[in-house]
Amino acid sequence: MTKLILSSVVGMALAMGASGCGRGADRLERASQQISWKVADAMEDLDATPQQTERAQALAQGLVADAKPVVKQGLEAREALVDEWKSARPDAAKVHALVDAQVDAVRGLVHRAADAAIELHGLLTPAQRDEVTQRLERHAKR
C-alpha cells in the first residue's frame, strides 16, 4: 500500500515534473483515478475498515494535488530550458537555477509522500503493516 502510493505519485511527479513531459494535467487526472483504484484494491486486500480506506484515499489524493504545481513548474522549466538551448549563449546560471528549482519542488513532494507514508503506517494495524512489509520485501527482491 505504502509502496503503491509512493511509487505512483512520486514516480509520476519525477517523470513528469522533473523532465517536464507534456500534457501533465491530463496525465495527473488519469493517474489520480488509477491511484484511487490501486489504493482501494490494496485496502481491500488488507481488510481495511472504511475509515482506514477513506483516510488512505485522502492521503493519496492529497499527494496528487501536491504534484500538480510540481508538474506545472516542470512544464514551464522545460520551455525555459528549450529557450536557453536555442540561444547563441545559454545562461548557465539560469539553467542551473531552473534545474535547482525543479529538484527542490520534487524534493518537497517526496518529503510530503514520506509524511503520508508515516501517517499511513500509524493508520494500519500491526497485522496490516506486516502484510504491507511482506509485499514490500517481495517487491524489493524483483
Side-chain angles (χ1 to χ4, degrees):
M1 173 60 201
T2 304
K3 181 73 171 177
L4 291 175
I5 292 173
L6 291 175
S7 64
S8 297
V9 177
V10 174
M12 175 184 59
L14 289 171
M16 293 190 316
S19 68
C21 296
R23 298 187 325 266
D26 293 343
R27 290 182 185 192
L28 273 175
E29 184 57 39
R30 279 183 273 147
S32 174
Q33 191 167 36
Q34 289 176 340
I35 290 165
S36 180
W37 293 333
K38 287 182 181 272
V39 169
D41 287 345
M43 296 306 283
E44 184 177 324
D45 290 347
L46 293 173
D47 294 323
T49 67
Q51 295 81 9
Q52 288 174 312
T53 300
E54 183 179 321
R55 185 62 193 140
Q57 288 288 3
L59 289 169
Q61 293 309 313
L63 290 172
V64 171
D66 289 346
K68 288 180 182 182
V70 175
V71 171
K72 182 177 185 289
Q73 178 180 322
L75 294 170
E76 292 167 356
R78 181 184 72 176
E79 289 177 19
L81 290 168
V82 169
D83 289 344
E84 286 301 310
W85 178 257
K86 290 178 182 178
S87 73
R89 297 200 65 182
D91 181 343
K94 183 176 181 180
V95 169
H96 285 279
L98 287 164
V99 169
D100 288 344
Q102 194 60 26
V103 168
D104 289 343
V106 171
R107 180 182 294 111
L109 180 60
V110 172
H111 280 282
R112 289 189 294 281
D115 290 339
I118 291 165
E119 183 176 339
L120 181 64
H121 182 277
L123 181 69
L124 300 176
T125 66
Q128 290 168 326
R129 287 195 300 268
D130 288 346
E131 175 63 28
V132 172
T133 300
Q134 290 172 11
R135 292 177 190 194
L136 290 172
E137 288 172 342
R138 279 194 308 265
H139 183 75
K141 292 179 183 177
R142 290 183 186 177

